[in-house]
């Protein structure tokens, strides 16, 4: 399972393959919303059944948004990467392994939203994706795979900002020992953490090239 | 879950990712057509079981066509968009969130086609996709992300025409209080509404570039 | 559900979207191979359960190969199409609707391989895909959407060859009234029918451009 | 099911279609991790249920990594292929057929990890993918479809290295008659086998073009 043979694999395809995995996972999440089977056919029974589904719907929406955020971040770091080696390929496969695992803890937690164990697995799986992504960036930086116009400061900023999701997940896990209702609030802090860890980034700015961004 | 970091995300990938989500959702719809398990193995039992599936098949076909229509419309507006910012990215993720939710109300309604609640959720989910799409276009227009050759008139025409699906959905929801058999007919009015809201568009015309179209 | 608005939809994306639907459908087929749940844990029970699955495995393999063939044919005709209008878009969506429906009759027939009704639906769904594809080609030809170097003879050859799959499906349905074991053999005749309907095509030839092909 | 008509099918689309199938299969694997339904709602019951899932999680991870490895190898050989004919297309469809079958033996073995029959099917399916891939390469080499700068030595190296996975699978099947716990260890030997079969390849090297690689 080690020592891949990356010669002859086009970089564009690596990104395309990653995109496809993200898209499939984000779409599979809805399959966990099982249509309720009703004992009797009347509107109030159906409404009650839908109401009982709300925690799962919340799980679906939160997972969708977090995977969406991770897809955005995955792309951002890959735009600054110019080359790759087998180390990068396998670290990226690790990201995709973590991403494709996410539907399981999402389903587990949305079915067992009373369980701290389920929540820890849920938050932990997002932390694992983000940490694997950080490993990709670290490796790209160490192995000289970044584009030449990426400055060391910009490299550091990406690495710091990449800590926002793992931090929020760690906070969520700690908070889950206080209250399971409080813990998911940690995810709302992701953009705040990203701002604090990378204060030089401006809000809602237009897309800058790696050069302009690095020069900024 | 806010303040994304879009620098360095290629615009083409945003469209590709959206395409993949649309393709997966439109294909997952068929999974709701469960093969009937027969008590006895004879042709008439099987035919009866297939006959009982007809409302689900109808739901599958209608959802397929509406999602197909939305994919076409999604592409149309994205061709006139030249740039993007984090606001556009998150509004587009909202579109995809609504699209990936569609299989659930489709399954719910095709299993409970006697239920007004189920139909309202069904029609409402299509309305939500179309409304999110309109938010994308509005934001692109306000934030100066449109191609330079898109005239203000053309911008307005797209925005008006984008109201056709939400209007048809609202009409369907209102009609569902009269009759659940009548209500789905509203969807047939989508092309009529589009024509009325955007009367200058011609039928079956060949593809025009943004420039030609805007100049027309 | 009619009168689409295709201006501003890139042709490449139409093909990409079709590819994605074909790829998802061809991969979803395996989901019908449900892992057997064993009453007792021993090798002979498992082997017997796997043996009982063989008709489903056969259904999986046949559907995979036929969808694969249809994907190849879909691409072939799209390479000679230079432009598109809303009529082509909706005819292509009809192809995709039929393709995405295929997993249902495949599952139905592989579970009820004793049933003529199930087989007719199975063979009919492949015939529907092929017929919809022929509609795409006919429309492209009539509406002047073909590449300029496609000769009228070549146009006719494609149209004739496209009849091979519908013919084989019709033959399968007729034969199913004689014997359900005999009927699937019809699918083996697809390449023969294609040869008879388009005798000028050579075997195993390298890829020719539309021009060379048309000139041949 | 034979004699395809590849004229007019762009080579890029063949690779794209293959990528999509690999991405879907690698993501579908997680669907086999079914959320346990608990008799009583308490943390220790849930933890025990998750613990019981560990063999399935292991199956998920191993299958993910092996399919990931095969995707990398699939791309590698396709980069050296310049042209294609119908023989290549159908051999590639055979690769995809084997790949899309993999979720079934993965689910079967992770549910019946006591069964040698299940393990043999599991290891055999990976061997089948790798063997089909070797058939693609052999055909490309014989039918003169390789890029002109691929030297005969390089051609031989790829063919030799492609034997690593079938060898490891054969070893796993043989070992399974000794011990089912020992047998999966064979997969760890894949990189070693690849090294032994192709000793001239260097570790972790940057991506080389076909020319540089062939010249090396």
């Amino acid at each position: 399972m080690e020592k891949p043979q990356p010669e002859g694999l086009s970089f564009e395809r690596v990104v395309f393959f990653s995109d496809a995995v993200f898209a499939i996972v984000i779409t599979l999440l809805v399959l966990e919303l099982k249509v309720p089977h009703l004992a009797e056919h009347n509107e109030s029974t159906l409404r009650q059944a839908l109401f009982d589904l709300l925690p799962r719907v919340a799980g679906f929406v939160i997972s969708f948004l977090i995977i969406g955020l991770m897809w955005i971040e995955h792309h951002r770091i890959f735009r600054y990467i110019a080359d790759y080696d087998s180390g990068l390929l396998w670290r990226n496969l690790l990201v995709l392994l973590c991403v494709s695992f996410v539907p399981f803890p999402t389903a587990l937690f949305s079915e067992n939203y009373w369980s701290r164990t389920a929540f820890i697995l849920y938050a932990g799986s997002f932390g694992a994706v983000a940490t694997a992504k950080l490993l990709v960036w670290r490796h790209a930086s160490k192995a000289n795979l970044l584009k030449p116009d990426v400055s060391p400061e910009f490299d550091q900023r990406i690495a710091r900002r990449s800590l926002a999701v793992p931090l929020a997940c760690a906070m969520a896990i700690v908070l889950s020992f206080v209250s399971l209702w409080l813990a998911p609030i940690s995810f709302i802090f992701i953009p705040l953490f990203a701002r604090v860890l990378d204060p030089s980034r401006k809000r809602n700015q237009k897309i800058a090239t790696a050069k302009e961004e690095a020069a900024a």
Side-chain angles (χ1 to χ4, degrees), chain A:
Chain A
M1 239 82 59
E2 279 188 54
K3 314 293 152 255
Q5 303 86 353
E7 333 92 1
L9 178 66
S10 104
F11 189 49
E12 193 186 30
R13 302 213 171 283
V14 179
V15 181
F16 165 81
F17 186 73
S18 308
D19 272 1
V21 169
F22 272 98
I24 298 161
V25 169
I26 215 170
T27 320
L28 287 182
L29 292 171
V30 82
L31 295 184
E32 289 310 323
L33 295 178
K34 302 264 189 279
V35 169
H37 290 279
L38 305 177
E40 35 178 348
H41 280 198
N42 68 56
E43 298 281 357
S44 63
T45 315
L46 182 75
R47 267 187 224 124
Q48 183 59 43
L50 289 177
F51 188 80
D52 294 345
L53 270 178
L54 280 187
R56 284 166 174 271
V57 173
F60 163 69
V61 172
I62 293 175
S63 293
F64 190 99
L65 290 176
I66 297 183
I67 294 183
L69 174 69
M70 277 163 180
W71 170 70
I72 292 176
E73 296 223 337
H74 185 268
H75 261 297
R76 198 157 46 84
I77 68 170
F78 267 79
R79 202 173 183 194
Y80 300 118
I81 297 178
D83 208 348
Y84 68 108
D85 57 12
S86 60
L88 193 87
L89 270 186
W90 285 98
R91 278 167 186 80
N92 189 49
L93 263 187
L94 184 67
V95 173
L96 299 181
L97 175 65
C98 296
V99 166
S100 76
F101 184 68
V102 161
F104 176 72
T106 298
L108 184 77
F109 179 55
S110 63
E111 185 151 326
N112 303 284
Y113 45 95
W114 49 267
S115 161
R116 192 189 303 136
T117 308
F119 180 76
I120 290 176
L121 204 65
Y122 180 71
S125 68
F126 287 123
V129 177
T131 308
K133 195 171 55 75
L134 189 55
L135 291 180
V136 168
W137 182 256
R138 279 268 171 88
H139 178 81
S141 174
K142 269 190 207 158
N144 275 324
L145 302 170
L146 297 181
K147 287 186 179 170
D149 51 9
V150 175
S151 66
E153 295 81 44
F154 186 70
D155 174 1
Q156 286 304 312
R157 279 178 53 199
I158 295 268
R160 276 202 310 275
R161 191 160 55 191
S162 294
L163 290 169
V165 173
L167 262 180
C169 293
M171 181 177 151
I173 290 171
V174 169
L175 274 180
S176 75
F177 286 88
V178 181
S179 156
L180 270 180
W181 295 101
L182 212 65
I185 295 173
S186 315
F187 296 127
I188 302 175
F189 285 84
I190 294 173
L192 182 71
F193 287 168
R195 186 69 43 81
V196 171
L197 290 161
D198 176 18
S200 54
R201 211 189 128 255
K202 292 195 213 72
R203 282 191 49 172
N204 247 3
Q205 62 192 33
K206 293 262 184 81
I207 309 309
T209 66
K211 197 168 186 174
E212 294 163 350
E213 174 75 22

